[in-house]
Amino acid sequence: MNKIRGLAYSHFKLKEHNTCIKKEFIAAATNYFTIIYILLLVPEILMGAFPAAFDANGNLIGNAIVFEGMTADQFFAAITAVGFIVAGLGSIAMGYIINVPFIQGPSVAIATFAAYTVCLGFGYSFQQMLALVFMSGICFFILSVTGLEKKIHKAIPINLKYAVTAGIGFFIAFSGLKKAHIIEYDPENMVKIFDATDLSDPKTISAYLTLFGVIIIAVMIKKHVHAAIFIGKVICAFIAIPLGLVTLPEKGFAEIGIHPGKLFFSMDFNGLLDFSGNKEFAVSLATVIVVIFSICMMDVFETISVLIATDTFTDINKSEVPIKKRIPQILELDAVTTSVGAMLGSATVSTYAESTTGIIEGGRTGLTSVFTGIMFMASVIISPLMSAIPSAATATTLIMAGVLMMGVIKHIDFENITEAVPAFMTLILMPLTGSMLTGIAVGITLYVIIHFLAGEAQKADLILYLLIIFFALAIWVTGL
């Protein structure tokens, strides 16, 4: 035990960072209970790629066959297990190799893009989507080793970066409101509020329970309760049982089992390119390039934003290479874990902004990430329990995640109309069109055109003009 302790202190340089094993473990536990809701949210989002797996009320049809002969219950358990595995491996690698307290796992934003835009929008299969994510990781790695990702990141206006984050939050919250039946489709006004008087309708009960959950979570966050979103989700799940809102798997948990191996190496490159004709080939190639580059750019923006946000906390040991100097290593590892994650059956693996929670709790080295990764790996055994979570509990997670992501909207400069219009159009079009790609494309295009016509062409980097060409191609392909 003393030998292991000594190795931990020497490898992670705990004394140099003014920390200890106990502090790092507490920080890891904070990370775990803060971030676990994301690992439970991503499978719910990815299940959206299989609309036949849900009934009219949004509940999972457990015995529906959705993937490689697996039922919806089995696939849900498998994709949840894979999420825990890739988050564990990514976090351990980040901590042990680079010695930074950053946590990795499947990205909510990119999982949403993968399920609703890549699979449902473009019509790719889940296996083909994994292949595209794999190639986006390779693209990310090339950008990282060549330094191009820094130039792209620097070229994106800060207000548009905030708008993208807020737009994704709006999109996620909107999905949660629909899943909870708080809002429903209306042919005249697009959506309408639920029928608050019909207490015999399960949809109404679900809406009320979700609103209750949102209130409870908001109060806990206000009182600085760690893992408030996760705790609120558990409370809603338990209350849903006597209300008749819990749909247990038709098979026992042991019968469902945990089969992450069925997702391993399930990428499918066949059919990505259409060789039936010159036009078909050109369109299919353009689509593939658009999707790969879009996923890559989203991953780049997410990771660099996290590094900037956590930089202040982590550069406390001035004798060591600062975080700024280690950014290339971090980005390269992020790219590798993205491709490895796709090989194991997961959407893009990214660095979580929630890493700041563990850092605030005292985590200063990669030991925090290693401890957190081990906790994730140990959580694989709870995967079969996840499909029993009612839609009301799921919706609270979606809504609150959206609320927290929308917080960045206060940083957008709405007093400057040339900044406000592109930012507003970016964040509003994402939920209304159901496409993050459309919001980003329109936002950047408007930014360049407005500043050009306003005599401020110098504010738009040359890279933005190149991105406009890319986005024009993306929208053209999407509209076919």
Side-chain angles (χ1 to χ4, degrees):
M1 182 64 70
N2 288 333
K3 186 175 181 181
I4 296 175
R5 180 184 178 88
L7 288 174
Y9 268 87
S10 62
H11 180 80
F12 296 104
K13 301 179 181 179
L14 299 184
K15 287 185 178 179
E16 291 86 340
H17 286 83
N18 192 31
T19 185
C20 62
I21 293 177
K22 181 180 178 180
K23 285 183 179 179
E24 299 291 295
F25 182 82
I26 293 175
T30 301
N31 276 335
Y32 176 83
F33 286 107
T34 301
I35 293 172
I36 192 173
Y37 87 92
I38 301 177
L39 299 182
L40 302 183
L41 172 60
V42 169
E44 294 163 358
I45 293 173
L46 291 177
M47 284 300 299
F50 304 94
F54 297 91
D55 61 22
N57 294 322
N59 295 312
L60 198 68
I61 304 174
N63 60 357
I65 304 298
V66 295
F67 183 88
E68 298 293 332
M70 285 193 289
T71 64
D73 283 335
Q74 292 173 329
F75 178 75
F76 196 98
I79 197 66
T80 302
V82 166
F84 282 125
I85 291 171
V86 298
L89 293 176
S91 299
I92 291 172
M94 183 69 77
Y96 187 81
I97 297 174
I98 306 180
N99 194 24
V100 288
F102 296 155
I103 310 305
Q104 288 204 316
S107 165
V108 172
I110 302 177
T112 305
F113 179 79
Y116 293 97
T117 301
V118 179
C119 291
L120 297 185
F122 285 89
Y124 289 111
S125 68
F126 189 85
Q127 296 94 322
Q128 289 174 324
M129 177 272 289
L130 294 177
L132 293 168
V133 170
F134 174 81
M135 289 187 285
S136 77
I138 296 175
C139 177
F140 190 176
F141 186 80
I142 294 173
L143 291 176
S144 299
V145 297
T146 59
L148 290 176
E149 97 290 326
K150 289 184 179 179
K151 295 180 180 179
I152 295 173
H153 177 71
K154 186 178 179 180
I156 305 297
I158 186 64
N159 285 293
L160 285 186
K161 291 176 183 176
Y162 291 139
V164 169
T165 302
I168 293 171
F170 195 179
F171 179 93
I172 292 174
F174 191 67
S175 299
L177 292 171
K178 291 190 293 183
K179 192 173 184 66
H181 306 291
I182 294 175
I183 57 175
E184 297 178 336
Y185 173 72
D186 181 72
E188 295 183 3
N189 302 307
M190 273 183 59
V191 295
K192 64 178 180 180
I193 196 72
F194 70 100
D195 185 353
T197 61
D198 188 4
L199 297 179
S200 63
D201 189 346
K203 293 182 180 180
T204 301
I205 299 175
S206 177
Y208 275 123
L209 178 58
T210 301
L211 291 173
F212 169 77
V214 168
I215 293 171
I216 292 298
I217 292 172
V219 172
M220 286 193 291
I221 291 177
K222 178 65 177 179
K223 294 184 176 295
H224 306 290
V225 176
H226 289 303
I229 294 179
F230 178 67
I231 294 171
K233 182 172 186 174
V234 172
I235 291 174
C236 284
F238 276 109
I239 294 177
I241 296 175
L243 294 178
L245 298 178
V246 174
T247 303
L248 294 174
E250 296 182 7
K251 298 180 179 179
F253 295 143
E255 195 175 353
I256 291 174
I258 307 173
H259 307 285
K262 292 187 177 182
L263 285 166
F264 294 172
F265 305 104
S266 59
M267 299 179 296
D268 183 11
F269 293 89
N270 293 324
L272 292 179
L273 298 178
D274 186 350
F275 296 97
S276 62
N278 292 333
K279 179 181 178 181
E280 288 76 11
F281 174 77
V283 171
S284 63
L285 178 61
T287 305
V288 166
I289 293 173
V290 164
V291 173
I292 291 174
F293 194 71
S294 297
I295 296 174
C296 177
M297 286 298 95
M298 293 172 72
D299 199 3
V300 169
F301 296 154
E302 279 193 357
T303 302
I304 292 183
S305 297
V306 173
L307 297 178
I308 293 172
T310 58
D311 190 39
T312 303
F313 294 105
T314 52
D315 281 349
I316 60 172
N317 179 22
K318 302 305 178 183
S319 64
E320 191 178 27
V321 178
I323 293 297
K324 292 184 180 70
K325 299 293 184 180
R326 284 180 280 175
I327 285 179
Q329 287 179 284
I330 295 170
L331 292 172
E332 289 165 17
L333 179 60
D334 199 306
V336 171
T337 53
T338 289
S339 291
V340 172
M343 292 170 63
L344 297 180
S346 174
T348 295
V349 176
S350 187
T351 304
Y352 287 144
E354 287 78 5
S355 300
T356 53
T357 60
I359 294 171
I360 291 171
E361 286 293 328
R364 290 294 182 270
T365 74
L367 185 57
T368 293
S369 302
V370 171
F371 276 143
T372 307
I374 292 172
M375 293 176 189
F376 288 152
M377 297 288 282
S379 300
V380 170
I381 59 175
I382 70 173
S383 301
L385 301 173
M386 296 302 104
S387 65
I389 297 176
S391 59
T394 300
T396 59
T397 305
L398 290 165
I399 294 170
M400 291 307 301
V403 169
L404 296 177
M405 292 180 73
M406 282 287 289
V408 300
I409 199 171
K410 64 179 177 289
H411 298 300
I412 299 176
D413 183 10
F414 281 109
E415 293 184 4
N416 185 342
I417 195 65
T418 59
E419 297 286 334
V421 171
F424 175 77
M425 293 299 287
T426 296
L427 69 89
I428 199 69
L429 285 177
M430 285 187 180
L432 294 184
T433 64
S435 171
M436 287 175 282
L437 179 60
T438 299
I440 295 171
V442 172
I444 290 179
T445 302
L446 288 177
Y447 183 91
V448 172
I449 294 175
I450 290 175
H451 281 82
F452 181 82
L453 295 178
E456 300 176 337
Q458 71 281 1
K459 285 192 174 183
D461 193 285
L462 176 62
I463 290 179
L464 292 186
Y465 289 90
L466 297 177
L467 285 176
I468 285 180
I469 297 175
F470 161 73
F471 286 132
L473 175 63
I475 293 175
W476 176 68
V477 172
T478 304
L480 292 178

